[in-house]
Amino acid sequence: MIDSNDKKLFYNTVLSQTFSPDGNYLLAGNIYGDVSVFNLSKVLGPNKVEENELQGPSYRFAAYPEQEISCMLSVENFLVTGTRGEISGWDWKVVTSNKAPKSKISWNIQIPANKDSYDKPDINYMVYSKTNNLLYVGCGDNNIYVINLEDRKILRSMQGHTDYIHCLAIMDNQLASCSEDGSVRLWDLRKKENTNILTPHLIDKVARPRLGKWIGAIDLTEDWLLCGGGPNLSMWHMRTMEVATVFDLADQGIHVAEIFEERVIAGGATDHVHHMTYQGEILAKVPTSNLTVYSVVHQETPHKILSVAGSSNCIDISTNFNYREMTLKFA
């Protein structure tokens, strides 16, 4: 018989990652409500791990019993985590110390349940605007909630999507959202309104009907919008909303896509994370321990690191973004 802990690890999936504000810790959250904390100086230092044994976290704590941690992000004093119907803040001083296993929630925000079904909506994605200290939250009830992190009050909801929201991206006063409904929406945060709608699955060269119309990942700059899901990963001109590049990848769906410096980084239901030029030329094809990638995070300082996680107990680490250097274990 497999013991229940081993069974959990066998089926483990890591959905979210973030770095501490000082960049010294990597944190990962899984489908069982656990958070693992990795000390990067230790991870990247001379390893004393037995051969064939993967290095594990410095600390681990149960954030939510048996509820997945779908997303997490880092603000100045708190680690912010999202699960079903609930966003929580955890004090960084505790989370990154030897008191981490005894971590208690510092604050909690409840997202209202659906009036018809009383179900709490999943918190699928969060982005934070430092300029106005607002948190934008994409949820399973098709809404985007705007939350003031000072008093932790929900200011309003932004409506328009007709199915659950997968991902958000923010730049200055513009927010982009994408959904299971197959649309990408652009929002002007000053006017608080939806300014544009893109439907990639209706464009023949982008569409992949057998994989569905859902859009799982999105990013934007002043000039470009990147998105993918069932439809191919594609890059669009922000001014004209015309497709400029359709990336030729052998994936079965895109869950992670971002524009970083002059490259595009993408992952999903494929065993590699691809790094490409804006024109679609492949710069690097980095193998991953996961059949499906759900989270890619990176930072430049104090440790240059890119971390890839998904449908396994393994987290792949690159310090040179073009190849995998080591693999950690979540637990």
Side-chain angles (χ1 to χ4, degrees), residues 42-110:
K42 191 176 157 208
V43 164
L44 302 172
N47 288 343
K48 296 193 176 68
V49 180
E50 296 294 319
E51 205 173 335
N52 299 330
E53 178 65 28
L54 300 180
Q55 196 168 324
S58 300
Y59 314 114
R60 195 159 120 242
F61 65 94
Y64 309 102
E66 300 302 316
Q67 284 210 88
E68 60 185 38
I69 301 173
S70 317
C71 51
M72 47 169 56
L73 56 74
S74 185
V75 299
E76 193 178 355
N77 296 312
F78 300 101
L79 163 68
V80 184
T81 56
T83 187
R84 185 165 297 163
E86 198 173 308
I87 296 164
S88 311
W90 309 80
D91 188 324
W92 275 120
K93 288 194 208 67
V94 178
V95 167
T96 56
S97 74
N98 57 9
K99 299 190 185 90
K102 298 183 179 67
S103 282
K104 294 276 185 290
I105 292 173
S106 300
W107 49 260
N108 230 333
I109 300 163
Q110 299 289 329

Side-chain angles (χ1 to χ4, degrees), residues 161 177-178 182-186 196-200 215 218 225 227:
H161 282 294
S177 59
C178 65
S183 74
V184 169
R185 286 176 179 259
L186 295 173
N196 223 322
I197 302 173
L198 200 65
T199 44
I215 300 292
I218 193 164
L225 175 88
C227 63

Side-chain angles (χ1 to χ4, degrees), residues 92-146:
W92 275 120
K93 288 194 208 67
V94 178
V95 167
T96 56
S97 74
N98 57 9
K99 299 190 185 90
K102 298 183 179 67
S103 282
K104 294 276 185 290
I105 292 173
S106 300
W107 49 260
N108 230 333
I109 300 163
Q110 299 289 329
I111 299 295
N114 182 316
K115 290 185 183 67
D116 300 328
S117 65
Y118 302 105
D119 280 348
K120 290 182 174 182
D122 289 331
I123 311 292
N124 291 334
Y125 208 88
M126 302 184 292
V127 289
Y128 172 64
S129 167
K130 276 188 183 149
T131 47
N132 52 17
N133 202 24
L134 295 181
L135 188 65
Y136 296 87
V137 184
C139 290
D141 62 359
N142 318 343
N143 295 328
I144 300 165
Y145 291 91
V146 186

Side-chain angles (χ1 to χ4, degrees), residues 203-207 231-236 243-249 278-280:
I203 307 293
D204 285 347
K205 61 183 174 181
V206 182
N232 279 304
L233 183 70
S234 52
M235 184 88 100
W236 303 68
V243 65
T245 307
V246 179
F247 296 89
D248 182 21
L249 300 177
Y278 286 10
Q279 292 72 37

Side-chain angles (χ1 to χ4, degrees), residues 251-256 266-273 290-294:
D251 67 279
Q252 296 299 306
I254 294 289
H255 295 291
V256 178
T270 167
D271 54 1
H272 286 78
V273 169
N290 303 284
L291 291 175
T292 303
V293 169
Y294 290 114

